[in-house]
Amino acid sequence: MDAKVIPAVICFGLFLLFAAPVLTGIFNLGNGAGMAVSAMLTAIFLLWGRFTAFLGKAWSGALGRTVLIIISMITAASMVLAVVISVFMLRAADDPPKDENTTVVVLGCKVKDGRPSLMLGRRLEAAYKYLSEHDSVCAVVSGGQGKDEAMSEAQCMRDWLVERGIAPERIFMEDKSVNTEENLRFSKKIIADNGLPETVTLITDGFHQLRAEMIAEKQGISAYNISGYTSWYIVPTYWVREWFGVVHYKLFG
């Protein structure tokens, strides 16, 4: 087998992995970028001879050499940045509280037909497990109602937890927010108004924990993290999207 076929097959496999979530209606910057890069790499390996000939021709001219150097530097810097962000994302994905002096904040996600979406359901499972094991801890379920949602995400989460035996008086609803920044800002007010512990435990997906923690820190919130399980086939899509999300937040807040 041609040595160039193996990396081409691997890159095409990555393309399929990023494309898989599209079949379930998930398309965002993460799988868009993943599909574009993996498709480009697949083509490069399949057309290796033409690609190297093109590089040689470009390198022979001053302008072409300058462009190739700039592209190489941007590519190398992007790879290093992605690795660094990924390390911090992994570190932030699992940091449970040391005691029960905390308030759980469950960050909202899509509600479908009045029930939690798969991703929201996994966050709720993590919240239920922790709340069941720590009876003195209260929770704020945070998320407003989108135009295509039958109810607010907060109401859906509260109903789900109560149905499974979590006492209603332990659950506080924040049902006005439309993004993570508002999730945390509005939840912080509910926590203060009700005299709940100011140290929060964020429950969201592992890939989202770093950016959520960054937003919390900016608002003066001390946070621990507990992550819900994320289906393996959508992890690459959302992981790559978070690279862009973290960079955007650091640059523009």
Side-chain angles (χ1 to χ4, degrees):
M1 180 182 292
D2 192 326
K4 297 184 291 295
V5 172
I6 295 176
V9 169
I10 293 173
C11 291
F12 184 66
L14 287 174
F15 174 84
L16 295 177
L17 183 58
F18 281 108
V22 177
L23 301 177
T24 62
I26 299 172
F27 183 76
N28 55 45
L29 185 57
N31 53 355
M35 285 189 290
V37 172
S38 54
M40 180 182 67
L41 291 174
T42 301
I44 287 174
F45 285 115
L46 289 177
L47 304 172
W48 186 254
R50 295 183 182 180
F51 177 67
T52 54
F54 169 78
L55 291 181
K57 184 177 180 180
W59 189 260
S60 63
L63 178 60
R65 186 181 303 113
T66 301
V67 171
L68 289 178
I69 290 174
I70 292 173
I71 292 174
S72 297
M73 291 175 65
I74 292 174
T75 301
S78 299
M79 292 174 64
V80 171
L81 183 60
V83 171
V84 170
I85 293 174
S86 293
V87 170
F88 282 100
M89 288 171 66
L90 287 169
R91 291 176 59 185
D94 185 30
D95 180 26
K98 306 301 186 290
D99 53 47
E100 295 191 359
N101 185 35
T102 186
T103 301
V104 165
V105 175
V106 189
L107 301 183
C109 192
K110 189 74 173 177
V111 170
K112 294 184 177 180
D113 301 321
R115 302 297 298 171
S117 61
L118 178 61
M119 193 174 292
L120 181 56
R122 296 284 170 72
R123 296 180 187 184
L124 287 170
E125 288 169 3
Y128 173 75
K129 182 177 185 298
Y130 184 79
L131 292 171
S132 297
E133 296 171 351
H134 302 84
D135 293 338
S136 68
V137 177
C138 293
V140 177
V141 287
S142 179
Q145 181 177 356
K147 293 180 180 179
D148 57 347
E149 294 177 317
M151 64 178 70
S152 71
E153 295 164 6
Q155 184 67 60
C156 181
M157 289 189 280
R158 182 185 185 278
D159 292 348
W160 191 97
L161 291 169
V162 170
E163 286 173 6
R164 283 153 183 79
I166 302 300
E169 58 268 21
R170 296 174 62 195
I171 306 172
F172 297 80
M173 289 201 307
E174 182 289 294
D175 58 1
K176 304 300 181 186
S177 58
V178 298
N179 55 43
T180 304
E181 189 275 332
E182 289 186 355
N183 285 151
L184 294 169
R185 177 156 51 90
F186 298 163
S187 294
K188 180 180 180 180
K189 185 177 187 306
I190 289 175
I191 289 170
D193 289 347
N194 290 276
L196 301 175
E198 295 181 355
T199 298
V200 307
T201 297
L202 299 174
I203 296 187
T204 182
D205 289 84
F207 60 80
H208 186 225
Q209 290 285 17
L210 174 62
R211 188 155 55 96
E213 190 175 89
M214 290 165 59
I215 295 171
E217 182 179 348
K218 188 173 182 179
Q219 297 188 31
I221 299 172
S222 176
Y224 291 102
N225 304 316
I226 295 176
S227 297
Y229 172 77
T230 306
S231 299
W232 65 269
Y233 72 96
I234 63 174
V235 170
T237 287
Y238 283 99
W239 198 272
V240 172
R241 190 186 74 163
E242 281 301 302
W243 291 346
F244 293 99
V246 169
V247 171
H248 183 273
Y249 184 75
K250 290 296 288 185
L251 292 177
F252 304 106

